[in-house]
C-alpha cells in the first residue's frame, strides 16, 4: 500500500518535505526550507548557528523530528535516536530553489539525490559561489567535528588531508563528461572533493518506478515526477504554463492524468486574474528599452534564467550589449556542463572593483570565459547607450 505523509509544505509556500512510502521503504519529494517557519525565529543577522549542527533546526522544529540526518551534525547535547527513523532510499528534487532544496544538506549523506543534470549543476555552482550554509551544502560538504574542549560545538574539518564529501547523485537522464568533471572541480580552499556515486535513474533502486518530466519554471532544470508503485503518484514541484517551455508542462499534465494521487504546488491556484506570459514581458520591456536613452538596468529575481534570456534577446534587438555579474556567468557556465548550450556567447561580465576575488572566479570562470569578456565600469560610463545591465540584487 502506498502511504503519503506531508511533513512540511502543506499550508505554506514551498518548504516541501513529502514522504511517500511502500513496504516501509520510501522517498522524499523535495526537502526544502520553510521560509515562513524560519522567519518566526530569524531575520537579518540572526540565523541558525552552524557550529551547533542541527540543534537549532530540531529544537525549533524547522525540520521534522526524525532520525534521518547527518551524524556529524549532531552535537553531544542532542539525541535524535529517540525520533522515528525512516528507510529513505532517495530524495527527488524538483528544482534548485531554496524552498525546495534548502534543508537537503542536513540529510544523512548516504541518501542519494535524484534531480535533472541542470539542477545538479546549479546546486554545485550555487554552493561554489556562496558561503557555506549547512542546509544548502547539497552537492558536497565539509564534515563537522566536535571542537576539542566543548563537544556541543561542531566545526568544519580543516585538517590538511581532509576532503569535501560529495553526495551520491542520480541524474534523471544521461550526463556528460563535463558534468562529471564539474562535480569534481573544487574551487574552495584548495580542498579536493571526494566524489560520491554518480549514476542515472535507471541504475537507482527505489520502491517506485520513477519517471521524470522537464517542466516550465523560471529556473532551468525544473522537473516533475510520476512514481509508479501500488498507486501512481504525480508530483509537480513548481511549474507554470506561461514560459517558453509551456509545452513541456502540458506534456507532463497529460501523463499525470493517469495518476491516482496528485501532489501539486498550490501557491497561486486560487488566483483567477492572471494574464501573464514571458511574451508580454518581452514586448513591454522591449518597448521600454527602445525608448530609453543612456544606460539601461534591468532588475529581476536571481537565477531567473528565462528572464535573462528575454533581456539577452532585447539587447540584441536594440543593438546593446548585455552585461551580467560574474556569479550569474558562473551559473550559466555550470548549466552548459549539463546541456552543452553556450549561454555566455556575446555576453559581457561586469568587472567589479574589489580586493578579493574568489577561486570560482579567479581559477575557473576567467579561464573558461577569458579576460576579454570582462568590461570595466569606466568603459560603460563612457558609452552608456551601448549596454544593458542585468544585476540580480
Ligand atoms: Zn521555484
Amino acid at each position: 500500500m502506498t502511504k503519503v505523509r506531508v511533513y512540511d509544505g502543506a499550508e505554506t509556500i514551498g518548504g516541501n518535505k513529502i514522504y511517500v512510502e511502500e513496504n516501509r521503504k520510501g522517498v522524499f519529494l523535495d526537502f526544502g526550507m520553510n521560509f515562513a517557519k524560519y522567519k518566526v525565529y530569524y531575520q537579518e543577522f540572526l540565523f541558525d548557528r552552524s557550529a551547533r549542527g542541527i540543534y537549532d533546526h530540531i529544537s525549533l522544529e524547522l525540520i521534522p523530528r526524525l532520525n534521518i540526518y547527518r551524524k556529524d551534525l549532531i552535537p553531544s547535547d542532542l539525541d535524535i535516536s529517540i525520533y522515528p527513523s525512516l528507510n529513505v532510499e532517495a530524495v527527488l528534487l524538483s528544482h534548485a530553489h531554496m524552498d525546495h532544496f534548502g534543508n537537503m544538506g542536513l540529510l544523512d549523506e548516504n541518501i542519494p539525490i535524484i534531480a535533472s543534470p541542470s539542477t545538479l549543476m546549479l546546486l554545485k555552482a550555487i554552493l561554489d559561489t556562496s558561503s557555506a550554509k549547512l542546509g544548502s551544502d547539497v552537492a558536497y560538504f565539509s564534515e563537522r567535528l566536535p571542537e576539542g574542549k566543548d563537544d556541543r560545538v561542531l566545526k568544519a574539518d580543516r585538517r590538511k588531508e581532509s576532503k569535501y564529501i560529495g553526495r551520491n547523485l542520480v541524474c534523471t537522464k544521461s550526463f556528460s563528461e563535463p558534468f562529471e568533471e564539474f562535480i569534481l572541480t573544487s574551487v574552495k580552499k584548495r580542498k579536493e572533493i571526494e566524489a560520491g556515486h554518480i549514476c542515472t535513474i535507471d541504475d537507482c533502486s527505489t520502491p517506485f518506478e520513477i519517471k521524470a518530466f522537464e517542466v516550465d519554471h523560471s529556473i532551468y532544470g525544473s522537473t516533475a515526477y510520476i512514481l509508479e508503485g501500488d498507486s501512481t503518484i504525480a508530483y509537480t514541484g513548481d511549474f507554470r504554463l506561461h514560459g517558453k517551455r509551456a509545452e513541456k508542462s502540458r506534456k507532463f499534465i497529460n501523463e499525470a492524468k493517469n495518476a491516482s494521487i496528485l501532489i501539486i504546488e498550490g501557491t497561486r491556484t486560487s488566483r483567477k486574474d492572471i494574464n501573464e506570459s514571458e511574451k508580454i514581458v518581452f514586448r513591454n520591456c522591449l518597448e521600454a528599452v527602445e525608448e530609453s536613452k543612456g544606460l539601461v538596468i534591468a532588475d529581476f529575481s536571481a537565477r531567473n534564467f528565462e528572464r535573462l534570456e528575454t533581456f539577452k534577446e532585447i539587447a540584441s534587438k536594440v543593438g546593446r550589449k548585455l552585461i551580467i555579474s560574474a556569479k550569474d556567468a558562473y551559473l550559466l557556465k555550470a548549466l552548459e556542463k549539463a546541456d552543452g548550450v553556450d549561454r555566455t556567447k556575446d555576453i559581457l561580465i561586469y568587472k567589479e572593483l574589489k580586493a578579493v576575488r574568489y577561486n570560482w572566479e579567479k581559477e575557473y570562470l576567467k579561464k573558461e570565459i577569458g579576460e576579454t569578456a570582462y568590461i570595466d565600469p569606466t568603459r560603460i560610463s563612457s558609452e552608456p547607450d551601448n549596454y544593458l545591465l542585468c544585476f540580480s540584487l
Side-chain angles (χ1 to χ4, degrees):
M1 196 178 74
T2 311
K3 288 187 189 168
V4 179
R5 175 142 184 197
V6 181
Y7 281 97
D8 201 358
E11 292 179 325
T12 185
I13 294 175
N16 298 15
K17 299 175 195 73
I18 300 159
Y19 191 60
V20 292
E21 179 184 57
E22 246 169 47
N23 307 321
R24 298 184 162 275
K25 284 182 178 172
V27 297
F28 264 102
L29 306 173
D30 287 334
F31 208 79
M33 181 186 259
N34 181 329
F35 293 145
K37 272 190 194 169
Y38 271 72
K39 258 187 213 156
V40 175
Y41 302 102
Y42 303 124
Q43 58 172 325
E44 301 204 14
F45 302 108
L46 263 182
F47 36 83
D48 44 288
R49 302 166 293 174
S50 47
R52 298 284 282 128
I54 56 168
Y55 186 93
D56 294 345
H57 305 79
I58 290 283
S59 306
L60 304 175
E61 270 194 274
L62 300 171
I63 54 176
R65 288 184 174 158
L66 292 167
N67 186 6
I68 54 169
Y69 300 105
R70 265 166 60 189
K71 302 287 173 285
D72 66 308
L73 295 181
I74 303 166
S76 62
D77 55 345
L78 179 71
D79 180 13
I80 67 162
S81 69
I82 56 171
Y83 301 126
S85 110
L86 302 171
N87 294 315
V88 187
E89 307 262 291
V91 185
L92 272 63
L93 174 59
S94 59
H95 64 290
H97 277 156
M98 280 294 273
D99 56 336
H100 291 260
F101 82 86
N103 285 145
M104 221 172 238
L106 309 176
L107 288 168
D108 188 297
E109 68 268 29
N110 296 311
I111 300 173
I113 309 292
I114 301 177
S116 66
S118 297
T119 296
L120 293 172
M121 289 288 90
L122 285 174
L123 289 187
K124 162 80 171 34
I126 292 167
L127 183 56
D128 285 346
T129 53
S130 58
S131 52
K133 271 251 176 294
L134 293 179
S136 46
D137 291 0
V138 181
Y140 59 90
F141 61 88
S142 256
E143 194 182 357
R144 295 217 157 228
L145 306 167
E147 202 262 340
K149 292 186 198 90
D150 190 338
D151 52 14
R152 290 171 303 174
V153 178
L154 306 169
K155 61 175 188 183
D157 189 353
R158 293 221 165 81
R159 291 173 302 180
K160 235 187 182 170
E161 68 281 9
S162 71
K163 289 183 176 180
Y164 288 113
I165 299 168
R167 269 187 190 268
N168 301 332
L169 305 173
V170 182
C171 292
T172 53
K173 52 186 175 193
S174 61
F175 50 90
S176 62
E177 222 169 274
F179 172 97
E180 267 183 290
E181 235 167 73
F182 189 67
I183 282 288
L184 277 173
T185 304
S186 175
V187 293
K188 278 184 177 174
K189 294 173 199 148
R190 304 187 191 283
K191 204 156 124 169
E192 281 174 48
I193 296 174
E194 196 174 300
H197 183 63
I198 303 172
C199 65
T200 61
I201 208 161
D202 304 326
D203 301 319
C204 172
S205 96
T206 78
F208 302 93
E209 185 165 334
I210 298 168
K211 288 184 193 155
F213 298 83
E214 193 187 334
V215 286
D216 185 52
H217 189 28
S218 60
I219 195 161
Y220 288 162
S222 298
T223 304
Y225 294 96
I226 291 178
L227 295 82
E228 278 169 11
D230 289 341
S231 310
T232 302
I233 303 166
Y235 176 63
T236 67
D238 289 356
F239 75 112
R240 45 178 213 183
L241 290 165
H242 61 257
K244 283 182 185 142
R245 285 176 305 278
E247 268 318 300
K248 304 257 183 197
S249 297
R250 279 184 220 286
K251 192 174 165 239
F252 164 71
I253 291 168
N254 250 327
E255 293 283 332
K257 280 177 186 164
N258 302 318
S260 47
I261 300 169
L262 171 66
I263 305 173
I264 186 171
E265 280 295 331
T267 310
R268 299 170 79 181
T269 41
S270 59
R271 276 183 57 176
K272 292 194 175 70
D273 57 334
I274 302 172
N275 174 28
E276 61 184 355
S277 93
E278 201 57 28
K279 278 184 195 144
I280 300 175
V281 175
F282 175 79
R283 267 204 313 270
N284 291 345
C285 294
L286 175 65
E287 208 179 286
V289 177
E290 274 173 337
E291 288 167 2
S292 303
K293 288 200 164 46
L295 190 64
V296 174
I297 302 173
D299 181 51
F300 43 87
S301 62
R303 299 169 211 148
N304 186 342
F305 296 111
E306 186 163 83
R307 190 59 47 83
L308 193 63
E309 224 167 71
T310 295
F311 276 97
K312 192 179 170 189
E313 222 177 308
I314 290 173
S316 98
K317 266 213 168 353
V318 300
R320 288 175 183 253
K321 278 264 181 201
L322 187 73
I323 304 174
I324 62 173
S325 68
K327 206 180 231 184
D328 281 345
Y330 188 75
L331 296 187
L332 292 179
K333 273 286 158 201
L335 278 170
E336 188 180 331
K337 310 288 173 197
D339 59 17
V341 179
D342 180 3
R343 297 183 176 85
T344 51
K345 207 170 155 257
D346 299 324
I347 283 183
L348 295 171
I349 300 170
Y350 184 72
K351 186 178 179 176
E352 222 178 307
L353 302 177
K354 52 185 180 183
V356 183
R357 248 169 240 288
Y358 293 106
N359 278 344
W360 61 263
E361 187 176 4
K362 224 171 29 187
E363 307 278 324
Y364 198 81
L365 184 65
K366 282 206 172 165
K367 282 180 189 155
E368 285 259 312
I369 213 162
E371 189 80 45
T372 49
Y374 278 78
I375 180 157
D376 197 279
T378 329
R379 171 99 182 268
I380 301 170
S381 33
S382 71
E383 42 184 27
D385 295 284
N386 293 347
Y387 305 106
L388 201 165
L389 272 84
C390 286
F391 293 165
S392 55
L393 284 180

